[in-house]
Amino acid sequence: MRRNTIDIVTMGCSKNLVDSERLIRQLEGAGYRVTHDSEHPSGEIAVVNTCGFIGDAKEESINMILQFCQRKQQGQLRRLYVMGCLSQRYLKALGKELPEVDKFYGKFNWTELLTDLGKAPSHMPSWERRLTTPPHYAYLKISEGCDRHCAYCAIPIITGRHQSRPMDEIVAEVEHLVAQGVREFQVIAQELTYYGIDLYGRQCIAELVDRISQVKGVRWIRLHYAYPTNFPWELLQVMRRRKNVCKYLDIALQHINTQVLTNMRRHITREETYAFIERIRREVPGIHLRTTLMVGFPSEDEQAFAELKDFVRWARFERMGAFAYSEEEGTYAARHFKDEIPDEVKQQRLGELMRLQQRISTEVQAAKVGQTLRVVIDRREGNYYVGRTEFDSPEVDPEVLIPVEGGTMRRGCFYDIQITDADEFDLYGMKNKKQ
């Protein structure tokens, strides 16, 4: 047990990661040594930042807490704290079930941890943090909460209503991070397109992205978690006009069958979704779309699932994930629909959909062979440098592998790479010899 050392473990999404990074900065400002996601935690204090989105994520968070409870029981840990979405939602229940935890914090009051440790919070901007990502990229959280209230989603229950951060504050954070060496920003929110409505009375995501793009030193901006209904089309104008705004959009569509979409409370129809995709591809040629789809939602019969497969074949998403419906207590779906589709049917549909997407992804990747693409280098692994194109977000998208024998390359630097081969996941390339 290392004195004055705190281990922080982050579960779930990149929005949670930003919270952990802010906490780390505060703790280090108070004199602690902090490790993040250590394979071998050995600190005297541990903090688990939990996820509470769906059943599997909740189970993973609980299992992680139990591991640290065991370490505490064995005398390897002095204090254990839990924060994040899971404890925000189940604060009282977790306190009764897990007495080994010294204190549970919610999604927003984790700053009290400093006080509980007997330390005064450091006087620094609330957004200041210690990055846990490679130093050339960062996640940029622009809002909290969500006002969409999709039938299946527990996020609004956990995080409350949408709250945009002031635009000037976000730009100041970008300028601060650029000064530290960050060149690439993953702009994240539960719902990007709603940004600004609560503060400025209108959708301001296009204006915000345009302002970020004008900060000197910003090389790439990538957009995550948009919503199709009432989409702010001026955002695509910014994407076309600004070279450092990646031609990439992460926009969860969930389904295509109109009845399923209605039951999901998505406020869009099959026909509108097809037209939506067509317009995006027409206005931004070459854009790569990432989406998330759901199988097994109540009322998804075989015909509706067949429609979904036909849609995936037509849309040919460059990036796609999918998951099976999981009933979450307190949601509209849990109150109004019976979760009657058997788990084995959900898993069969999920596997079928992902096999279909795997074939599409293989074809999309193969089409890049022979092209020269701009690539940022993230790391070296064995005999390869590993990087990404503007169409690839960290952790979730394919990578580009370049043999080290082709010449020295530096992490965080951008290179023109000729793509020589591809598989269903990754690209392979060679550095332009003139660089």
Side-chain angles (χ1 to χ4, degrees), residues 33 88 178 185 217 294 351:
R33 179 182 181 274
Q88 175 77 28
V178 167
F185 292 87
M294 182 189 296

Side-chain angles (χ1 to χ4, degrees), residues 397-411:
D397 289 331
E399 296 176 314
V400 184
L401 281 67
I402 306 108
V404 298
E405 61 192 34
T408 302
M409 305 176 79
R410 296 174 59 192
R411 184 171 73 165

Side-chain angles (χ1 to χ4, degrees), residues 233 235-243 245-249 276-289 318 368 371 373 390-391:
W233 293 105
L235 179 60
L236 299 187
Q237 298 173 18
V238 176
M239 192 175 288
R240 290 198 308 269
R241 189 170 68 251
R242 300 294 185 183
K243 291 184 178 180
V245 180
C246 298
K247 292 183 177 180
Y248 178 106
L249 186 62
F276 176 73
I277 297 299
E278 286 181 328
R279 182 172 176 181
I280 290 177
R281 294 204 185 278
R282 183 172 65 250
E283 293 201 14
V284 186
I287 192 171
H288 278 43
L289 295 177
E318 288 78 11
K368 292 185 172 74
Q371 297 182 24
L373 301 175
E390 70 170 293
F391 309 118

Side-chain angles (χ1 to χ4, degrees), residues 1 6 27 59 69 72 101 158 223 248 250 324 333 347 391:
M1 186 190 306
I6 299 178
L27 291 169
E59 184 177 353
C69 286
K72 189 177 181 185
V101 176
I158 298 169
L223 306 175
Y248 178 106
D250 188 338
Q347 293 304 316
F391 309 118

